Amino acid sequence: MIEQFRDVSPEAPELQPIISGLFGEYEARYGDYFSRDAEVELTEWYLAPQGLFIVLERDGEIIATGAYKPFDEHTAELKRIWTHSGLRRQGLAGRIVRELERRALLAGYSRVYLTTGFRQPEAVKLYLGQGYEPQFDIHRNPEEYSVEPYDGRLRFSKPLALDSRKTA
């Protein structure tokens, strides 16, 4: 069994069914909640030197993905963290996050930022377990963040440490 990370363009044909599936999962959890302010995404945000899109492959099959884009001059924003549905709860998303952190540090970023939705407790657990600092009260019912004045996004940040440069 051979596993390896590979840099890809977010427009790579092999990614399109995965990205569509990811947005399908969001729709299943949230309906049209987030569609009212659909994100504008530009491919160049995810290309070196300011961004990155990676896949983790096992024997040539994509089993996990992740990306970052610039949030500000010093902060990379993690996006598109996904794991194949049949391979979840095996630490693959954590490996993606650590590789993204390592690569963001090498690209000159000193912090990472991300958001997840209020109906993704597994993502909240992942980010807390990876040392992310929640920018919300983790003891509140996450559904409370879906009503005004909130926008449904649970925000996290983390300073990057020099030891993040080690291979994940």
Side-chain angles (χ1 to χ4, degrees):
M1 177 167 60
I2 299 171
E3 288 186 358
Q4 65 182 8
F5 288 106
R6 181 168 58 94
D7 297 8
V8 296
S9 165
E11 295 179 352
E14 68 268 28
L15 269 185
Q16 300 323 301
I18 292 168
I19 299 297
S20 295
L22 179 61
F23 283 106
E25 286 185 40
Y26 294 157
E27 187 175 331
R29 285 185 197 228
Y30 298 105
D32 64 356
Y33 181 88
F34 287 112
S35 66
R36 68 180 194 271
D37 54 8
E39 287 182 78
V40 173
E41 295 282 314
L42 299 179
T43 298
E44 59 262 26
W45 292 344
Y46 295 100
L47 301 176
Q50 75 275 2
L52 177 69
F53 204 114
I54 60 171
V55 296
L56 178 58
E57 295 177 321
R58 178 180 291 158
D59 296 330
E61 178 188 353
I62 297 173
I63 59 172
T65 69
Y68 69 75
K69 66 180 184 177
F71 183 73
D72 64 33
E73 183 182 351
H74 304 287
T75 309
E77 180 178 3
L78 301 191
K79 303 286 286 182
R80 309 296 175 253
I81 309 297
W82 169 87
T83 301
H84 185 284
S85 61
L87 300 173
R88 293 187 177 156
R89 303 178 73 87
Q90 296 180 22
L92 298 174
R95 287 181 58 198
I96 287 282
V97 169
R98 288 187 300 277
E99 181 67 7
L100 290 171
E101 290 172 356
R102 185 183 77 79
R103 299 282 298 274
L105 185 65
L106 290 172
Y109 292 106
S110 59
R111 295 190 62 75
V112 283
Y113 167 84
L114 63 88
T115 64
T116 193
F118 61 94
R119 291 186 181 146
Q120 291 176 259
E122 67 285 358
V124 170
K125 183 177 178 183
L126 167 69
Y127 301 129
L128 290 173
Q130 296 286 323
Y132 282 75
E133 302 160 2
Q135 309 300 303
F136 61 97
D137 183 348
I138 62 171
H139 302 292
R140 288 178 71 176
N141 178 344
E143 291 284 332
E144 292 178 33
Y145 292 102
S146 69
V147 295
E148 293 289 337
Y150 306 105
D151 65 1
R153 290 176 179 82
L154 305 178
R155 292 162 173 79
F156 292 85
S157 65
K158 180 180 179 181
L160 291 175
L162 293 179
D163 62 358
S164 297
R165 289 183 294 199
K166 296 177 193 157
T167 303

